[in-house]
Amino acid sequence: MNFPESSLANLGSLGYTEDEARFLYLVATHSGYFSMRQFLQFTRTKSGDKSMAFSQKLLAKGHATARSFLRNGLVYHLFSRIELRSQAQSSWQLDLHPTRREIVEESSKIVPLGAPVAHPAK
């Protein structure tokens, strides 16, 4: 997948690392939903400080919500407006999901992210 440098830079300016920015771009351009397991698979890391810092950052900044899902952990939902292009290019923003929907209704959106996460082209 092609990751536009301007989008990654904008996400970086929000305090996200390069790996986090790439993952958020991928999620934002697909369903808006993800699990921490998908983040770990994408970054090729194991659960620990990196995933904890990422999840706390997302929630603290108000860029996502987290809900329990079928006793299998949390499902994160990007719902805020995160700028993916610089102001110089345009004022376009990706409106991920302006309203909070029930995870149960939207759970089918988690699956489409599987293939891009498993085989990211860096």
Side-chain angles (χ1 to χ4, degrees):
M1 174 170 206
N2 184 20
F3 296 96
E5 289 302 318
S6 62
S7 297
L8 297 180
N10 287 337
L11 290 168
S13 71
L14 294 173
Y16 294 104
T17 67
E18 185 175 342
D19 280 346
E20 292 168 347
R22 287 175 176 274
F23 183 74
L24 287 175
Y25 182 86
L26 179 68
V27 171
T29 57
H30 283 77
S31 67
Y33 290 86
F34 69 94
S35 68
M36 195 52 60
R37 183 177 181 186
Q38 290 171 317
F39 172 72
L40 293 171
Q41 184 179 7
F42 181 83
T43 58
R44 294 183 174 100
T45 58
K46 295 188 180 195
S47 185
D49 292 341
K50 186 173 186 172
S51 58
M52 181 63 74
F54 178 56
S55 63
Q56 288 176 343
K57 193 183 309 182
L58 274 171
L59 299 174
K61 291 179 179 292
H63 294 154
T65 58
R67 299 227 177 125
S68 296
F69 184 69
L70 300 175
R71 294 179 276 169
N72 289 330
L74 297 174
V75 171
Y76 295 84
H77 177 207
L78 294 177
F79 68 87
S80 70
R81 297 170 69 93
I82 298 176
E83 278 190 47
L84 295 178
R85 293 188 183 175
S86 68
Q87 293 290 344
Q89 289 179 320
S90 73
S91 60
W92 177 85
Q93 293 180 330
L94 178 62
D95 189 353
L96 298 174
H97 295 281
T99 60
R100 297 179 190 193
R101 298 179 185 163
E102 291 299 317
I103 294 293
V104 174
E105 294 174 7
E106 300 294 330
S107 63
S108 63
K109 293 184 177 182
I110 297 169
V111 177
L113 188 58
V117 167
H119 307 289
K122 288 194 174 188

